[in-house]
Amino acid sequence: MIITIDGPAGTGKSSVTKKVAERLNMIVLDTGALYRAIAYGALTVGIDVNDEAKISALLLTNPLEVVFWEGSFHYFIEDFDTTMYLRTQEVANAASIVSTYDAVRSYLLLVQKKLADKKNVVCEGRDMGTTVFPEAEIKIYLTASSKERAKRRFLELMEQGITRLTLEDLSNDIEERDRRDSTRKNSPLKVPEDAFMIDTTHLTLEQVVDEVIFLVKEESGLHEPHLGYWEHFTHQADVGIRGVGSTPAQAFEQAALALTAIITEPGLITPKTLVSVTAAADTDELLLVDLLNAIIFEMATKNLLFSRFHVTLLPGFLRASLWGEPVNREKHQPAVEIKGATYHILSLKQRDDGLWCAECVVDV
Ligand code: DC
């Protein structure tokens, strides 16, 4: 299986990739390291990385050898293991420059395909889902605001004892790299059409990893089958929504689907964009209202429709991932314009058959 994780620098790609691979017992293919190794090779023999002809000529000697050793890839240039020397800012900037050259990209395209061949890999880079592994089973695209990304790099460098770069330097560097990576003509950084988008700005590493694992399980049918379903009922002139599941969290997820179904057929929604919400309240019923309110709020303010819900319920606290896509009138034919909703007669109960049932009457 191939999972691709693309996105700009500082979105948490490397850490997410490592943790996801660890949890799924897969291998990490860090393709940035390949570009960095070429750049490092050029820097050490004194080739100007801005000289495309010289870099292209360097590749004719096939200088890169990648060896899988003790669970990870090592990058050798002319028999020297460069792996430990690739993480500096100087190498990062040089890698960004050499990565714009056609000769470098086509050389590494073959290297990457060969390295992933017949393996279970999580491939991290810029063009994994678009160019190198368009056939990947699961494609993830991570984003984060450039301010947050600069802050993360700053803290990372501080931890390494590197203090000569200011937050502003790093922010400029990131913006310059983003510009170069997304405007180069060969295989620019862009969102693969069928990728799941996760904005990591306000999420912890663990939350992003959990989300990716959830998606992998959903998409590959690895989740325990559960007996959940949703339905509508009528209560006087209003519509009621009912979600049933093996746990209270699953009942909430099904109730959320029932809410969506008032507006459109959930099957018409391609759930590729993530919105995360949290709520704190004294009772489960109030947490249900908070969840439904958050869904309506996100629909109304971001013009999204959701069809995949992942709810974590703790005493007094709820965290939910809402997966959806922007409203498309032709495709979704929404039955109502969502501006707000009120709820009454709320309940969460365990039925005699052991299943949980979350329900309420909604006025949209
Ligand atoms: O992810 P990173 O910072 O290690 O990547 C270093 C550079 O390599 C980055 O600026 C862009 C380039 N790169 C690329 O063009 N395509 C990839 N698949 C991975 C990295």
Side-chain angles (χ1 to χ4, degrees):
M1 173 159 81
I2 294 183
I3 299 175
T4 61
I5 303 193
D6 288 305
T11 48
K13 264 182 306 149
S14 303
S15 319
V16 171
T17 302
K18 274 195 208 109
K19 295 256 174 201
V20 166
E22 217 173 273
R23 281 190 36 196
L24 298 173
N25 202 14
M26 293 173 78
I27 295 167
V28 170
L29 176 56
D30 165 11
T31 60
L34 300 171
Y35 290 89
R36 285 172 185 255
I38 301 286
Y40 180 84
L43 292 172
T44 44
V45 293
I47 296 177
D48 177 2
V49 288
N50 292 297
D51 189 334
E52 182 169 358
K54 286 215 175 110
I55 298 285
S56 306
L58 171 75
L59 298 178
L60 296 176
T61 64
N62 192 14
L64 176 68
E65 197 189 347
V66 185
V67 178
F68 190 70
W69 184 58
E70 292 195 341
S72 60
F73 288 113
H74 288 249
Y75 310 90
F76 286 78
I77 296 277
E78 311 290 2
D79 295 332
F80 177 73
D81 187 354
T82 66
T83 315
M84 273 175 59
Y85 305 95
L86 303 180
R87 307 309 314 169
T88 67
Q89 204 60 28
E90 187 194 8
V91 175
N93 290 335
S96 171
I97 295 170
V98 301
S99 75
T100 61
Y101 303 151
D102 288 354
V104 174
R105 299 211 79 85
S106 42
Y107 175 71
L108 290 182
L109 180 69
L110 298 179
V111 172
Q112 292 165 84
K113 282 191 182 289
K114 210 166 126 203
L115 289 174
D117 191 36
K118 300 192 186 71
K119 293 192 188 76
N120 284 322
V121 266
V122 188
C123 305
E124 173 213 332
R126 302 290 193 288
D127 58 348
M128 299 294 94
T130 49
T131 308
V132 186
F133 304 110
E135 74 289 3
E137 281 86 346
I138 298 186
K139 300 179 185 178
I140 310 283
Y141 190 91
L142 301 183
T143 59
S145 68
S146 59
K147 205 168 145 204
E148 173 67 21
R149 293 191 281 135
K151 197 175 95 196
R152 288 177 190 171
R153 272 280 186 269
F154 185 70
L155 294 176
E156 207 176 281
L157 291 174
M158 289 264 281
E159 260 172 37
Q160 295 167 17
I162 301 167
T163 51
R164 77 195 141 77
L165 292 166
T166 65
L167 200 53
E168 201 187 339
D169 293 336
L170 291 170
S171 189
N172 291 340
D173 243 32
I174 280 190
E175 274 163 25
E176 172 58 19
R177 277 219 278 160
D178 278 1
R179 193 197 53 73
R180 202 161 35 217
D181 293 348
S182 50
T183 56
R184 67 170 177 244
K185 63 180 188 327
N186 193 340
S187 201
L189 170 69
K190 65 169 192 250
V191 186
E193 247 173 46
D194 42 355
F196 294 97
M197 285 264 279
I198 304 183
D199 182 343
T200 69
T201 309
H202 304 294
L203 298 180
T204 63
L205 172 62
E206 290 311 321
Q207 285 173 332
V208 181
V209 172
D210 280 352
E211 213 50 60
V212 176
I213 302 282
F214 165 78
L215 287 173
V216 173
K217 289 190 172 168
E218 285 264 312
E219 292 292 301
S220 46
L222 291 173
H223 268 151
E224 304 263 313
H226 62 75
L227 306 163
Y229 65 91
W230 60 265
E231 62 194 4
H232 290 154
F233 58 90
T234 45
H235 176 85
Q236 295 159 3
D238 289 330
V239 59
I241 57 174
R242 178 175 294 132
V244 178
S246 325
T247 61
Q250 279 176 11
F252 276 34
E253 289 165 3
Q254 294 294 330
L257 269 174
L259 179 67
T260 297
I262 295 178
I263 301 149
T264 186
E265 164 67 40
L268 295 176
I269 303 166
T270 317
K272 296 286 187 182
T273 299
L274 173 69
V275 174
S276 299
V277 298
T278 54
D282 290 340
T283 66
D284 287 340
E285 282 79 4
L286 288 176
L287 287 173
L288 178 61
V289 178
D290 284 343
L291 172 66
L292 300 175
N293 266 331
I295 294 170
I296 294 285
F297 176 80
E298 297 296 337
M299 280 179 183
T301 55
K302 302 209 174 99
N303 210 23
L304 290 164
L305 283 170
F306 303 102
S307 63
R308 182 178 271 170
F309 303 94
H310 177 203
V311 172
T312 308
L313 203 52
L314 301 168
F317 182 77
L318 168 144
R319 187 162 73 76
S321 306
L322 322 177
W323 284 94
E325 71 170 333
V327 182
N328 173 330
R329 291 201 182 278
E330 238 170 74
K331 180 179 174 195
H332 304 122
Q333 310 213 338
V336 279
E337 184 81 26
I338 291 297
K339 295 213 174 66
T342 53
Y343 315 93
H344 53 121
I345 327 181
L346 285 122
S347 75
L348 173 71
K349 283 199 252 1
Q350 191 167 23
R351 302 190 317 200
D352 293 344
D353 61 4
L355 292 178
W356 288 86
C357 177
E359 64 180 54
C360 67
V361 174
V362 188
D363 182 8
V364 280

